[in-house]
Amino acid sequence: MEFSIRALAPATARTGCLVLGVFKDEVDTALTRAAQLADRAAGGAIRAALAQGDLSANPGSTLLLRRLPGLAAERVLLVGLGERKDFGEQAFRDAVGAAAKTLRETGARDATLFIADLKVGRRRLAWNVRQAVLGVRDAFYRFDQLKTQKKPPAPPLAALVLAVLGAPVTLQAQAALKEAVATADGAELARTLGNLPSNHCTPAYLADAARKLAAQYQLGLEVLERRDMEKLGLGALLSVTRGSREAPKLIVLHYHGAAKKAKPVVFVGKGITFDSGGISLKPAPEMDEMKYDMSGAGSVLGALRALAALRAPLNAIGVIPACENLPGGLASKPGDIVKTLDGQTVEVLNTDAEGRLILCDALAYARRFDPEVVVDVATLTGACVIALGHVATGLFANDQKLADEIRAAADDAWDRVWQMPLWEDYQEQLRSNFADMANIGGRPAGSVTAACFLSRFTKKLRWAHLDIAGTAWKSGREKGSTGRPVPLLVRFALRHAGRKD
Ligand code: BES
Ligand code: MN
Ligand code: ZN
């Protein structure tokens, strides 16, 4: 879909569908400025429809009107915005989402959105633009490449104009549009990789995806094979892959957007393409969802894609440890002790706590790039889903300035995080009688002890950890990958490189 942003008047906009916002209010005061102008040109036809009670005006309700007199548009789509006083970030996103869903069902080939420039609290136009583009792209995303039958035809909507009323289109707004399209492309890549099942999306498939990005955007790429890992001593990663016949990969992707000597931002993404739990086998119900256990890897690829497409002014590196976690005759067994890349030993008390094992080696490997900061992204713990549900990503950091930067970027991207403690007090839960540490810390504070485990490998780094177990995908009827936290990673990297708008 082609997005653009333009200064337009609602009455004269030639478009397949004019999208207008309506607050929940008395008919005379419900209309947004753009809706008022359109109503006046259409001889009061919009207010007449509202007076008949045809739109509930609750956030997310819609009403499609055809061939109104006096307007150049073929259709008018009214979108309920809820109460004026409650109109904030969520209401804005709901309105965009509802408009996009309805547009999907109409025959319109193009549409003009007159809700993108509504004032949302203290947010600026650039914020609205990013959210509008991401919301529309989210609603139009489809994953049907593995269906051979009953594929619904693709909606004809090919162009979307974000209209600004009575104000010039700023350079910031144009830049926000570009950023949003690149971010949506990156999130879509992450989403599709997440949705692909593990018989398609193998570690080798992830390496191929990285190879394609490298070719398309001239990125540097190294892929470490099993024998390279053996030589280097990535004993923890190797212990996880032992039960699987799929070859493990350590994928390293380099993006250069700044001076050679500028220290890179390193993103590390968990790439377990299927997590059965290994010998500590998971229960059967919902085990299929463990195909999403490479969502951290997918989001790192998606973020690098976006940054490369934007030619962002920074150096960034993605490090992706990728393998399967399966039981088998050679698989790791509870009680096994393994040696990590940085020399510490780990007693594997539960083979299902595999994410931290591949990440500790990847984090130790990341040190060689002399990073400015390291951010790892992982579907690490079920405990994080219990703590924060599907709304906030868990944030842990050994550097409060970095944590604050990520919190600000997350709020800006509306891809939200909540900081959790990484206090010394929790470390003792990882005590082992036989090795330097155990790989599990018992049931209390499971997401904290997982982060504590990783912190033992990042002492010399400015490091943050994002637990996306609850936010990378949805279960139930809407089951599927979300593409989070690509918007957060992209916003963070751009802000870190000095772009705040
Ligand atoms: N990939 C899972 C985490 C997970 C679980 C994500 C459920 C999303 C939904 C991870 O590898 C895992 O199995 N973690 C264990 C750790 C435990 C054994 C200490 C968990 O959370 O149960
Ligand atoms: Mn697991
Ligand atoms: Zn896992």
Side-chain angles (χ1 to χ4, degrees), residues 371-384:
E372 226 269 288
V373 295
V374 176
V375 180
D376 80 66
V377 191
T379 48
L380 202 63
T381 64
C384 191

Side-chain angles (χ1 to χ4, degrees), residues 270 275 277 282 290 293 325 351-355 380:
K270 172 177 174 182
D275 181 11
K282 286 183 182 293
M290 285 299 131
D293 213 17
N325 184 23
T351 65
D352 197 11
E354 86 297 339
L380 202 63

